[in-house]
Amino acid sequence: MGTHVIKMPDIGEGIAEVELSVWHVKVGDMVVEDQVLADVMTDKAMVDIPSPVHGKVISLGGVPGEVMAVGSILISIEVEGAGNYKESAQPAAVAVSAAPVAAPKVEAVAASKPVAASRPAAVCQGPMVAREADERPLASPAVRKHALDLGIQLRLVRGTGPAGRVLHEDLDAYLAEGQSNASAPIAAYAQRNDEEQIPVIGMRRKIAQRMQDSTQRAAHFSYVEEIDVTAVEELRAHLNEKHGASRGKLTLLPFLVRALVVALRDFPQINARYDDEAQVITRLGAVHVGVATQSDIGLMVPVVRHAEARSLWDSAQEISRLATAARNGKASRDELSGSTITLTSLGALGGIVSTPVLNLPEVAIVGVNKIVERPMVVKGQIVIRKMMNLSSSFDHRVVDGMDAAQFIQAIRGLLEQPATLFVE
Amino acid sequence: MQNLNTTLLIIGGGPGGYVTAIRAGQLGISTILVEGESLGGTCLNIGCIPSKALIHVAEQFHQTQHHSQHSALGISVSAPTLDISKSVEWKDGIVDRLTTGVSALLKKHKIQVVQGWAKVIDGKTVEVGDTRIQCEHLVLATGSKSVNLPMLPIGGPIISSTEALAPKSVPKRLIVVGGGYIGLELGIAYRKLGAEVSVVEAQDRILPAYDAELTHPVHEALKHLGVKLYLKHSVQGFDSASNTLQVLDPNGDILNLETDQVLVAVGRKPNTQGWNLEALNLAMNGSAIKIDNRCQTSMRNVYAIGDLSGEPMLAHRAMAQGEMVAELISGKTREFNPTAIAAVCFTDPELVVVGKTPIEAEAAGLDCIVSSFPFAANGRAMTLESKTGFVRVVARRDNHLIVGWQAVGVGVSELSTAFGQSLEMGARLEDIAGTIHAHPTLGEAVQEAALRALGHALHL
């Protein structure tokens, strides 16, 4: 038997520290090759760390939320054979005699699955028999003791083991259920003194850092303009009717992306990154549009690369693919970084005005508010038009108010005369 | 008067008391243990351990005698003789080692042992001689005493198990009053040591706590050994002039049984007398102190464990209770909630009962499968010259959950471990049937009993 040590890998270029997010294994677990051991996070990308070996976990190098140096020991696994790690005091002779004589095979499938939050339905070979109200719950001595420690009454716990036996996992499930139900039965006007502390780790810590950084460093100013989207909405409806089945449905976002691309041709100072330490502004030819997306673990900004080279449907598909990937935690680091300008939209919850926070080092972010039908005066007549506000923020350190206003007016012109979006 | 203060005070140094003390010591609770006699209590000094030593001597003597007459094994030896004083010396050596060991364990866990008889003053105060001990928690672990019969006061030829375990000589004739496990264990041992033994039992069979199927092999063995049984006979008195025991037979006639000694083994009762327990005025449950599932008495922070708290009066129950009480006092949440407590009779053959018997299961309204496997079909049993007995399993018909195990046969006391584990872990018949049991062992009969309950025993 030897020890195989896995060190915190260098995931992104030049990153010295990586945050450990989640362990998928615990000490004593048997793991198989390619089984995911842990999730770690750099920037905004979650990266799986798979096991390169079969073996048994003997120690974990950190706790979730811990920021670990690249190269530090992440996990140690006991493996057959010599492993990759030798304790200095180990005599050489041991390694020679360590020829494994029919060492027990790791049970590849059964033992290795980490216990997920949702347990698979229990497999009970015999008939399940419901427990009578006064019947003593079936549980091993260790489970009984643990239940006492947790203050759980075993008779309230559903047993999923053979013959309805209450397992350790059932206690965990009961506990998890109890926590999610805890707030429900409290009387409407009862005073509450409970508090819950949630460690700011992982994704939330990254978001917090970046938002704070952005508001402290950039000189935000917001600019709101009202846009008549009746024409572009008509066009969108028409295109969806005509091509929806074959090319996929279009939302308003690809039109906005297109409007950004076209407008930015005249406003290169807005498609830029400002490195305030080096005091350099980099104007970029490519338009990489970050699309702010809500996921379960928080705000993510997947990036539609080279929007200038994409058709409406191309953009639409890319936005949809990235949003799904981000929500499922599958977006890669590349897909989550490198934007030059950001679009943020809360859809139907868009409100009438918002004050978006810049995604530094970008200098502009365009926020989309909701579309409402309103009576408007057009050529002396009151008509019903579809109206939408754009609430945008700029870094006033490098973007002048006049430029910003003209940029938004350009977008407005493009969206109100949608044909101009496509006229070269 | 000397004053001592402690968090925990334990009265009684038997298995319940000393285990409470050790666990309390591990948990860092300052503890004083009061013992009036020898550490280890009844179990180590005048109960479990010395009786097993005597039974072993008797068995060895009996086997040798057997070989000297007609050994099927081809062994020939000359007829053995017995120096009973040496046997007792050997037994005392074991007791000594064990009680010294308990003393060392208590010392290791920094328990202060106060020698002397405790007198309870109130729920937080106990006097031992001229020492007054104040405590926050009081654990009562004073054990039990043999039940005496008014017409058979202990003395002279009338002895209790205590005297029977330290014989100066083996009597020619011994009458055992009481056909329970204590009477039979000692009766069989004395028979094997050469005494003519009779057993007088008021009920219609021996070991009346267990069912007839289970006790039948023991009954047969007693007949084979030549132990005379007087079932449904009750004791009237003893005439010391003629050394005769008067018993009433089922027809109402008086029999006069001549004997050299009478062993009174009619049970044990909680030791509630002589230490001023009355001062606490605790709620009682019959002759035992009433406790809840945390061994708490009716007085706050006063606990009762072991035989003092009633049936089953077994050392292993007392130890488990003691361990739990120490953890309770340390602030943990605990309750005494075993699925089963094994009971073992070291008769010949031995008898083990863990969990529900078929009768108990039926009384509890359970529809059960009952299945047994005879040792006559077990290879290991044959090589031990033992063909009597069986393993029996009781399992629910609906989900095959095992609710009880019983066994009778040579050496089955050690099967109690497997039985207890299977019940505590909630095993079903399929679990035991699917566990490979080593061959050749008596344990194979355990697996076969489960297989037979499932309808496919392999060796029957």
Side-chain angles (χ1 to χ4, degrees):
Chain A
M1 286 288 176
T3 303
H4 187 98
V5 165
I6 299 166
K7 294 183 175 168
M8 183 61 88
D10 182 1
I11 298 156
E13 60 289 346
I15 292 172
E17 287 183 329
V18 177
E19 181 175 337
L20 175 61
S21 299
V22 184
W23 281 117
H24 292 299
V25 294
K26 56 185 187 300
V27 172
D29 280 1
M30 298 304 296
V31 297
V32 296
E33 204 173 317
D34 290 337
Q35 181 182 338
V36 177
L37 301 171
D39 291 346
V40 300
M41 189 155 72
T42 70
D43 232 355
K44 281 192 178 182
M46 199 78 98
V47 179
D48 295 344
I49 305 289
S51 175
V53 292
H54 277 47
K56 182 175 165 189
V57 177
I58 50 178
S59 70
L60 303 178
V63 294
E66 192 172 327
V67 176
M68 298 174 66
V70 167
S72 61
I73 293 180
L74 181 63
I75 185 169
S76 307
I77 298 174
E78 188 180 77
V79 294
E80 285 179 25
N84 67 351
Y85 180 77
K86 279 214 183 71
E87 280 174 52
S88 49
Q90 207 166 2
V94 175
V96 180
S97 65
V101 184
K105 267 202 82 158
V106 176
E107 297 220 1
V109 195
S112 65
K113 273 270 167 158
V115 179
S118 61
R119 283 165 24 77
V123 181
C124 179
Q125 289 147 342
M128 248 330 230
V129 182
R131 196 158 64 223
E132 302 287 331
D134 58 345
E135 201 176 326
R136 180 192 159 88
L138 189 59
S140 74
V143 170
R144 278 177 249 158
K145 208 171 220 182
H146 194 45
L148 285 170
D149 286 338
L150 294 171
I152 296 176
Q153 291 191 48
L154 267 183
R155 61 183 181 82
L156 302 178
V157 181
R158 197 178 104 87
T160 63
R165 179 162 54 199
V166 179
L167 311 175
H168 283 290
E169 290 85 341
D170 296 329
L171 291 183
D172 296 342
Y174 179 81
L175 220 54
E177 217 172 274
Q179 276 161 1
S180 62
N181 289 345
S183 55
I186 290 172
Y189 297 103
Q191 269 193 10
R192 289 187 59 173
N193 296 308
D194 51 322
E195 27 188 82
E196 187 186 8
Q197 293 196 330
I198 298 158
V200 176
I201 60 168
M203 193 67 196
R204 180 48 54 195
R205 179 150 83 192
K206 274 277 180 258
I207 294 169
Q209 274 172 3
R210 295 188 67 131
M211 291 301 163
Q212 172 142 15
D213 194 42
S214 179
T215 44
Q216 277 178 350
R217 292 169 81 160
H220 280 77
F221 84 98
S222 295
Y223 179 87
V224 183
E225 176 55 307
E226 184 179 52
I227 296 169
D228 184 336
V229 292
T230 314
V232 73
E233 279 291 280
E234 273 169 16
L235 174 63
R236 188 171 76 88
H238 174 72
L239 291 174
N240 277 342
E241 198 180 323
K242 198 166 176 203
H243 300 294
S246 57
R247 301 188 191 178
K249 295 265 186 193
L250 294 171
T251 63
L252 194 60
L253 277 177
F255 293 90
L256 286 163
V257 168
R258 182 66 193 164
L260 285 180
V261 166
V262 176
L264 284 170
R265 288 173 187 157
D266 297 328
F267 297 91
Q269 66 271 45
I270 287 172
N271 192 46
R273 293 185 187 135
Y274 174 35
D275 184 341
D276 52 8
E277 277 169 18
Q279 289 300 341
V280 175
I281 297 166
T282 309
R283 294 183 175 180
L284 294 110
V287 181
H288 302 317
V289 181
V291 182
T293 305
Q294 187 63 35
S295 75
D296 285 347
I297 53 169
L299 173 70
M300 294 181 123
V301 188
V303 179
V304 177
R305 296 199 164 265
H306 291 287
E308 76 281 5
R310 291 183 189 271
S311 72
L312 271 186
W313 284 281
D314 197 357
S315 282
Q317 279 168 15
E318 184 66 358
I319 290 167
S320 149
R321 184 187 71 78
L322 288 168
T324 308
R327 282 191 194 105
N328 296 340
K330 302 280 187 213
S332 72
R333 187 180 135 71
D334 281 350
E335 287 168 336
L336 293 172
S337 58
S339 56
T340 59
I341 189 165
T342 296
L343 255 181
T344 174
S345 164
L346 286 168
L349 292 171
I352 53 171
V353 171
S354 51
T355 56
V357 174
L358 286 164
N359 187 17
L360 291 192
E362 293 163 29
V363 299
I365 180 166
V366 177
V368 184
N369 300 118
K370 70 181 172 193
I371 298 173
V372 286
E373 291 192 334
R374 273 218 295 266
M376 300 299 290
V377 179
V378 180
K379 293 176 189 158
Q381 298 284 315
I382 293 176
V383 290
I384 305 296
R385 304 293 290 180
K386 286 186 174 168
M387 304 302 294
M388 180 187 83
N389 288 355
L390 283 185
S391 299
S392 307
S393 295
F394 300 89
D395 190 344
H396 215 333
R397 294 177 300 176
V398 292
V399 179
D400 292 334
M402 181 66 80
D403 291 344
Q406 283 176 348
F407 170 64
I408 295 300
Q409 291 308 326
I411 289 176
R412 176 184 167 193
L414 290 162
L415 289 174
E416 291 189 346
Q417 300 293 335
T420 56
L421 283 171
F422 308 101
V423 175
E424 295 300 324
Chain B
M1 180 168 272
Q2 189 195 357
N3 279 303
L4 292 176
N5 272 299
T6 182
T7 307
L8 169 59
L9 175 63
I10 303 162
I11 303 179
Y18 85 70
V19 168
T20 311
I22 290 174
R23 186 69 185 120
Q26 288 172 346
L27 293 164
I29 301 166
S30 101
T31 303
I32 292 178
L33 186 149
V34 181
E35 171 57 55
E37 228 155 353
S38 172
L39 286 171
T42 300
C43 169
L44 259 57
N45 294 286
I46 49 166
C48 323
I49 297 296
S51 67
K52 263 76 268 173
L54 193 69
I55 286 168
H56 181 70
V57 171
E59 176 63 15
Q60 294 300 310
F61 183 72
H62 179 66
Q63 287 293 339
T64 314
Q65 201 157 46
H66 177 69
H67 295 318
S68 73
Q69 289 160 358
H70 39 72
S71 170
L73 277 58
I75 300 171
S76 64
V77 290
S78 47
T81 58
L82 182 70
D83 182 348
I84 192 74
S85 62
K86 279 204 124 168
S87 309
V88 171
E89 206 176 288
W90 170 75
K91 176 214 75 177
D92 288 343
I94 294 173
V95 170
D96 221 47
R97 270 212 300 284
L98 287 170
T99 51
T100 312
V102 169
S103 172
L105 284 171
L106 292 174
K107 196 171 176 190
K108 178 182 156 192
H109 290 98
K110 304 193 166 49
I111 309 302
Q112 186 180 352
V113 176
V114 173
Q115 197 70 38
W117 294 106
K119 183 184 176 212
V120 173
I121 305 299
D122 60 41
K124 296 199 183 305
T125 316
V126 169
E127 279 181 13
V128 183
D130 56 1
T131 304
R132 176 179 277 253
I133 308 169
Q134 296 277 352
C135 65
E136 288 169 37
H137 299 271
L138 179 62
V139 172
L140 310 176
T142 56
S144 59
K145 282 190 150 25
S146 297
V147 172
N148 291 323
L149 294 174
M151 59 287 198
L152 293 177
I154 303 298
I158 301 174
I159 60 171
S160 71
S161 58
T162 306
E163 292 78 29
L165 289 169
K168 298 200 167 50
S169 62
V170 178
K172 188 169 174 295
R173 292 164 302 185
L174 172 73
I175 296 180
V176 178
V177 178
Y181 81 97
I182 298 173
L184 289 186
E185 285 185 11
L186 289 173
I188 291 171
Y190 269 75
R191 176 69 196 126
K192 288 178 175 175
L193 290 171
E196 290 169 22
V197 175
S198 305
V199 175
V200 178
E201 167 58 51
Q203 297 200 40
D204 62 352
R205 54 194 182 82
I206 53 156
L207 296 170
Y210 306 116
D211 62 87
E213 187 192 17
L214 201 58
T215 56
H216 181 72
V218 181
H219 190 112
E220 289 298 302
L222 288 173
K223 278 203 294 194
H224 186 72
L225 279 168
V227 173
K228 260 193 180 158
L229 292 178
Y230 293 91
L231 300 175
K232 292 202 264 183
H233 283 64
S234 53
V235 175
Q236 298 299 302
F238 184 76
D239 178 28
S240 48
S242 61
N243 265 6
T244 53
L245 184 75
Q246 285 104 44
V247 297
L248 193 65
D249 78 2
N251 304 322
D253 299 330
I254 297 280
L255 293 182
N256 287 304
L257 306 175
E258 269 193 61
T259 187
D260 300 303
Q261 272 187 344
V262 176
L263 166 60
V264 180
V266 291
R268 300 186 65 85
K269 60 173 185 207
N271 178 18
T272 52
Q273 304 292 318
W275 44 285
N276 207 29
L277 172 63
E278 307 76 40
L280 298 182
N281 198 21
L282 298 178
M284 303 297 285
N285 176 17
S287 59
I289 291 180
K290 187 177 180 182
I291 54 167
D292 65 7
N293 63 352
R294 292 177 175 79
C295 291
Q296 287 164 331
T297 65
S298 54
M299 187 180 282
R300 197 181 161 83
N301 291 346
V302 176
Y303 306 80
I305 60 171
D307 292 0
L308 181 65
S309 65
E311 295 289 347
M313 294 193 193
L314 297 165
H316 41 283
R317 168 173 170 264
M319 295 191 223
Q321 287 177 322
E323 188 188 3
M324 178 204 66
V325 165
E327 294 190 0
L328 272 177
I329 291 168
S330 79
K332 292 182 179 2
T333 311
R334 288 289 176 266
E335 58 185 47
F336 191 65
N337 57 10
T339 305
I341 301 173
V344 181
C345 304
F346 286 85
T347 45
D348 180 16
E350 292 173 351
L351 193 148
V352 179
V353 176
V354 191
K356 291 184 168 64
T357 63
I359 295 166
E360 288 166 348
E362 200 186 331
L366 296 175
D367 180 18
C368 283
I369 309 170
V370 178
S371 162
S372 57
F373 187 86
F375 283 119
N378 177 280
R380 179 59 180 147
M382 286 181 206
T383 66
L384 292 170
E385 294 183 276
S386 158
K387 291 175 296 225
T388 66
F390 55 87
V391 172
R392 189 170 71 186
V393 64
V394 184
R396 281 174 62 143
R397 197 177 302 280
D398 55 7
N399 59 7
H400 292 177
L401 177 73
I402 297 168
V403 297
W405 287 103
Q406 298 89 40
V408 54
V410 167
V412 296
S413 56
E414 294 300 327
L415 295 180
S416 62
T417 309
F419 295 163
Q421 276 181 0
S422 117
L423 290 172
E424 293 294 349
M425 297 302 291
R428 297 190 302 166
L429 289 169
E430 289 83 352
D431 296 320
I432 304 305
T435 301
I436 297 175
H437 288 60
H439 176 79
T441 61
L442 297 177
E444 286 175 280
V446 176
Q447 185 181 14
E448 288 278 10
L451 280 167
R452 195 175 183 197
L454 294 169
H456 47 89
L458 291 166
H459 293 90
L460 205 69

